Amino acid sequence: MKRALITGITGQDGAYLSQLLLSKGYEVIGIIRRSSHRGVEDHRLRWLGIADRVTLIDGDLADLSSLVRVVKDVRPDEIYNLAAQSFVASSWRQPVLTGNITAIGVTNVLEAMRAEAPNMRFYQASSSEMFGKIQEPAQSETTPFYPRSPYAVAKLYGHWITVNYRESFGLHASSGILFNHESPLRGIEFVTRKVTDSVARIKLGLQQELRLGNIDAKRDWGHARDYVEAMWLMLQQDQPDDYVIATGVSTTVRDMCRIAFEHVGLEMNDHVVIDPAFYRPAEVDVLLGNPAKARAKLGWAPKTTLKEMIVEMVEADLKRVHASGLLS
Ligand code: NAP
Ligand code: F7E
């Protein structure tokens, strides 16, 4: 039985990746950081019905000693480094923490691996945000980077330190440059989930308006369930490498929002209010990925369209709001 160690197991991707690896017969162990709110951290794993099938061990990306201890104890075959301060907007408000976790945290994991088990395989969660102010209309593995936020700068460090450890020490370390991917398990602060949660509340009469920032921004959105498959495929290759994972379709926030409102028979213009509080100090206006390399070398392709995903998210939020007991 193969053993996988996942940092960020309590996040969106950690939950879907755990589900995938369990279905493939892996033993799954995740790192969980200490919190005073015991019992709620694993809500995504519980939502997928797999909380009792994974093992959680405490550790923190900022604490090298904890990572060394976990890697030594667990001795995984594969390490997936998904942990990060992942919300772009917060990265301007907490730039030092973002650098410590999202950038230096990657070196901590790599150092733990290099010291304890250099033959393990390593996956780094890199991001399309690294392309930022885009240098080519469709971004591939060879497109130059131009980060536009402290988050993107930190991810760029994480990406290059992964490449550097591969080239310096011969580690099987791969970097997935993933474009935006969403699901019913997406954090509520990200725009798709903010929209689908609000659409559910508006439909059920609990809310009237939805306040958004720049709805002209364009993103290449896919489903997290599809994207974790690409992570796993990267670690099954003989040679480590870097891959863009995307759908190749870019859509405005406005159109994504319209899909969500139309699904419940509402008109978005009756409810959406533009609020400059949600504008960013520097915006990434448009992203569009070119996943040709992943298709050719990994045999990977996305399975879910944006519309299918948004409908799934709205339906899940309608159920959640009903279940919350807020309705009279
Ligand atoms: P997410 O839902 O925000 O999950 C982040 C995870 O990191 C959580 O489990 C969180 O734990 C953990 N974490 C944060 N700080 C930590 C620390 N100091 N020590 C240990 N764990 C820590 O993110 P996601 O959407 O699943 O994304 C997974 C990874 O892919 C992230 O690195 C993200 O930056 C990257 N990425 C995401 C996308 C996307 O569109 N989703 C695209 C490209 C790249 P808590 O539960 O305790 O907060
Ligand atoms: O914003 C605009 C916002 O926060 C998308 C992370 O997973 O993907 C994610 O980063 C767009 C931006 O995601 C609101 O200005 C408008 O242009 O959902 P988001 P993100 O910043 O693209 C990348 C690939 C990652 O790696 C990150 O970890 O939507 N937008 N109005 C808004 N965004 C938010 N959050 N809230 C609004 O009200």
Side-chain angles (χ1 to χ4, degrees):
M1 184 193 268
K2 272 195 187 174
R3 191 176 294 161
L5 176 65
I6 303 176
T7 76
I9 193 167
T10 55
Q12 169 189 257
D13 292 7
Y16 281 106
L17 180 63
S18 297
Q19 185 182 49
L20 176 78
L21 296 176
L22 287 169
S23 76
K24 293 185 180 298
Y26 278 68
E27 182 183 355
V28 176
I29 295 113
I31 290 181
I32 181 167
R33 54 183 170 158
R34 196 263 157 188
S35 160
S36 65
H37 302 280
R38 266 283 168 247
V40 292
E41 315 89 327
D42 63 348
H43 68 97
R44 292 186 171 95
L45 297 164
R46 278 191 273 119
W47 201 84
L48 292 177
I50 55 171
D52 56 354
R53 296 177 61 202
V54 303
T55 305
L56 302 176
I57 303 184
D58 67 304
D60 196 297
L61 240 63
D63 185 312
L64 175 60
S65 66
S66 70
L67 300 173
V68 169
R69 171 180 49 79
V70 172
V71 172
K72 198 172 176 176
D73 289 352
V74 172
R75 300 232 149 254
D77 301 287
E78 298 169 5
I79 302 181
Y80 295 86
N81 183 39
L82 309 185
Q85 189 303 96
S86 73
F87 188 40
V88 173
S90 284
S91 75
W92 280 281
R93 298 190 287 267
Q94 300 185 32
V96 177
L97 175 113
T98 302
N100 283 340
I101 307 304
T102 306
I104 301 299
V106 186
T107 310
N108 285 338
V109 182
L110 284 164
E111 274 297 289
M113 172 176 163
R114 191 166 75 92
E116 294 302 327
N119 293 329
M120 291 171 191
R121 296 186 172 196
F122 175 84
Y123 172 84
Q124 168 57 17
S126 287
S127 166
S128 54
E129 282 292 300
M130 302 188 306
F131 295 120
K133 191 169 179 180
I134 55 167
Q135 304 295 298
E136 284 180 328
Q139 299 87 56
S140 72
E141 296 77 6
T142 55
T143 304
F145 298 118
Y146 193 141
R148 292 273 281 171
S149 63
Y151 168 80
V153 172
K155 277 289 175 188
L156 200 49
Y157 173 93
H159 176 72
W160 281 117
I161 200 72
T162 300
V163 174
N164 180 260
Y165 269 51
R166 177 167 79 216
E167 295 176 354
S168 303
F169 305 119
L171 301 186
H172 194 295
S174 293
S175 175
I177 306 174
L178 270 53
F179 283 62
N180 298 54
H181 46 281
E182 323 289 312
S183 73
L185 297 182
R186 186 57 142 152
I188 198 86
E189 66 273 41
F190 298 93
V191 75
T192 53
R193 182 73 204 294
K194 180 176 172 180
V195 166
T196 61
D197 175 66
S198 291
V199 163
R201 285 169 194 278
I202 292 169
K203 180 67 183 173
L204 297 171
L206 295 170
Q207 184 177 319
Q208 274 309 306
E209 63 178 32
L210 164 59
R211 303 186 86 80
L212 293 173
N214 175 18
I215 62 172
D216 293 319
K218 293 181 86 175
R219 288 292 183 277
D220 180 330
W221 278 295
H223 199 301
R225 195 173 42 223
D226 297 346
Y227 284 35
V228 298
E229 264 189 63
M231 297 177 187
W232 175 76
L233 282 167
M234 284 178 220
L235 297 206
Q236 310 317 305
Q237 305 306 304
D238 290 340
Q239 297 303 322
D241 206 343
D242 307 323
Y243 297 90
V244 158
I245 301 299
T247 67
V249 179
S250 187
T251 308
T252 58
V253 172
R254 183 193 307 276
D255 286 343
M256 175 274 293
C257 198
R258 186 175 293 121
I259 293 170
F261 276 97
E262 279 179 357
H263 178 63
V264 295
L266 294 174
E267 168 55 49
M268 72 174 271
N269 293 328
D270 294 339
H271 301 281
V272 171
V273 175
I274 300 304
D275 184 343
F278 294 106
Y279 289 169
R280 294 175 177 182
E283 178 62 284
V284 172
D285 296 317
V286 54
L287 289 172
L288 169 67
N290 172 0
K293 178 175 169 183
R295 191 169 291 133
K297 296 205 165 173
L298 303 178
W300 178 87
K303 297 176 182 139
T304 318
T305 65
L306 176 63
K307 186 170 180 191
E308 287 166 348
M309 181 179 75
I310 294 296
V311 166
E312 182 188 338
M313 292 172 70
V314 172
E315 288 296 326
D317 278 320
L318 284 166
K319 283 203 189 95
R320 275 198 192 99
V321 178
H322 262 297
S324 69
L326 287 173
L327 300 171
S328 51

